Amino acid sequence: MTAALQWLGLAGPTASGKTALALALARRWPVEIVSVDSALVYRGMDIGTAKPGAAEQAAAPHHLLDIIGPEQSYSAAQFVADARRLVDEIRARGRWPLLVGGTMMYFKALVDGIDAMPAADPAIRATIDAEAAQAGWPALHAQLAEVDAITAARLKPNDSQRIQRALEVWRASGTPLSALHLRARREAAPLAGALIALEPASRPWLHERIAQRFDAMLQAGFLDEVRRLRANPALHLALPSMRCVGYRQAWEALDAADPPALADIRERGIAATRQLAKRQITWLRSMAHRHVVEADAVDAETRLAVLVETLIGPPGSRPG
């Protein structure tokens, strides 16, 4: 099994310490880090995404950071194509691809495969948005349940981004999104890898780290970053980039008043990040073949290193 591995994955909820642990691995094994994060792809969104800084990026090669503008979109299918290409390129250099991030849909798409989805259709999206503005997203969720009950069952009634995409796929192709995913699982050639899940045993530990990180973002100039984004006429709240946790809450607060109420932004931003972390943990626990490391263990780094050694060999080992 070890010799057949093509990549290692390090997944976990936001603020679980993925970046620091990935760099700890990079000090012992020849790895290149491939970001598995739907927010880190955007240029100009650095503070609110906790994007690795210059020193961190210098410590190990990083990929899939800053590859598109925030006015553009990036799909799970695009990620799979990019990740497969990078896995081959990194292994050809005699190094291990280490896929690190918290966008569990991307990990799932890489492991299970993903069918070719209809391209984004601005006209269909505009129609769906207009319907939602009039009837509300719960009504659109109910509409989705009539044509794709499987997808609707896993979405909350106010999950506007995913409801919109599922309805868009149905209206563009006449095929439910769930059927495309099922077909992909049947047809995809597997890309063998080992997924390591950083799962904190203590929810309060994670909540405290989320609060500390959001406070650090505010102190680092997060609101100024959002102001610069709002000044770009090509950007608006309906874009996937501006729906990222923290950005949406800050944008809405700046729409209401500038300067905004910092206490309100902090409260709403931390609450939204906690909800994101909860969803990420739920996704992780649905992945049956993952290897779990408790993110809040005092010896988490040592536990991770021991696990990696069992998977790919002692420090310094290179792909076969």
Side-chain angles (χ1 to χ4, degrees):
M1 173 183 173
T2 299
L5 289 182
Q6 295 174 277
W7 56 273
L8 289 177
L10 187 61
T14 185
S16 59
K18 297 184 293 295
T19 297
L21 289 173
L23 292 176
L25 293 180
R27 290 192 290 269
R28 303 182 66 180
W29 281 272
V31 305
E32 296 189 24
I33 296 171
V34 179
S35 172
V36 188
D37 191 302
S38 60
L40 295 186
V41 298
Y42 297 115
R43 293 186 291 270
M45 295 174 60
D46 302 331
I47 299 172
T49 61
K51 189 173 293 177
E56 292 167 321
Q57 293 188 43
H62 282 67
H63 304 275
L64 300 187
L65 304 180
D66 297 324
I67 59 174
I68 60 173
E71 72 283 358
Q72 298 173 283
S73 60
Y74 188 74
S75 68
Q78 288 172 290
F79 167 78
V80 170
D82 286 340
R84 284 178 172 268
R85 171 181 55 80
L86 286 165
V87 164
D88 289 342
E89 292 174 357
I90 293 167
R91 287 177 59 85
R93 291 191 283 270
R95 303 174 70 85
W96 284 103
L98 178 61
L99 280 61
V100 181
T103 301
M104 305 308 167
M105 182 183 296
Y106 287 5
F107 275 116
K108 185 172 178 60
L110 182 65
V111 172
D112 293 343
I114 189 166
D115 204 18
M117 298 289 170
D121 188 315
I124 293 177
R125 288 192 172 188
T127 299
I128 293 170
D129 283 338
E131 292 175 11
Q134 182 174 10
W137 284 108
L140 273 293
H141 182 267
Q143 184 182 128
L144 175 63
E146 295 177 1
V147 297
D148 188 354
I150 295 174
T151 298
R154 66 178 179 81
L155 300 181
K156 294 184 180 298
N158 285 306
D159 191 343
S160 58
Q161 183 174 351
R162 291 181 176 85
I163 293 170
Q164 180 196 61
R165 180 56 177 157
L167 282 174
E168 179 188 19
V169 167
W170 165 254
R171 295 183 184 183
S173 68
T175 303
L177 182 64
S178 57
L180 292 177
H181 286 165
L182 181 61
R183 185 187 308 165
R185 286 195 294 273
R186 289 197 305 264
E187 298 175 357
L191 189 62
L195 179 63
I196 301 169
L198 295 175
E199 299 179 24
S202 168
R203 194 63 60 89
W205 175 88
L206 184 62
H207 288 177
E208 179 61 26
R209 286 176 62 90
I210 287 170
Q212 290 174 353
R213 190 166 80 166
F214 201 84
D215 287 338
M217 290 176 179
L218 289 173
Q219 293 170 9
F222 175 49
L223 287 182
D224 287 335
E225 181 174 80
V226 178
R227 286 188 179 98
R228 288 193 295 272
L229 293 166
R230 286 176 76 246
N232 182 344
L235 301 183
H236 51 83
L237 277 178
L239 289 168
S241 60
M242 295 300 101
R243 290 175 176 172
C244 290
V245 165
Y247 288 90
R248 184 185 192 99
Q249 290 76 25
W251 184 302
E252 291 173 343
L254 287 167
D255 278 347
D258 194 359
L262 280 178
D264 179 60
I265 290 178
R266 181 181 186 274
E267 180 180 357
R268 294 179 61 215
I270 290 174
T273 308
R274 284 184 178 183
Q275 291 169 2
L276 170 62
K278 183 178 179 180
R279 293 194 298 272
Q280 290 169 317
I281 292 171
T282 299
W283 269 91
L284 274 176
R285 289 175 177 168
S286 73
M287 298 179 184
H289 301 296
R290 73 197 189 283
H291 304 270
V292 177
V293 172
E294 290 185 358
D296 50 343
V298 294
D299 60 343
E301 183 177 328
T302 299
R303 295 187 189 189
L304 177 62
V306 169
L307 174 58
V308 169
E309 185 166 347
T310 66
L311 292 169
I312 64 173
S317 299
R318 295 178 179 272

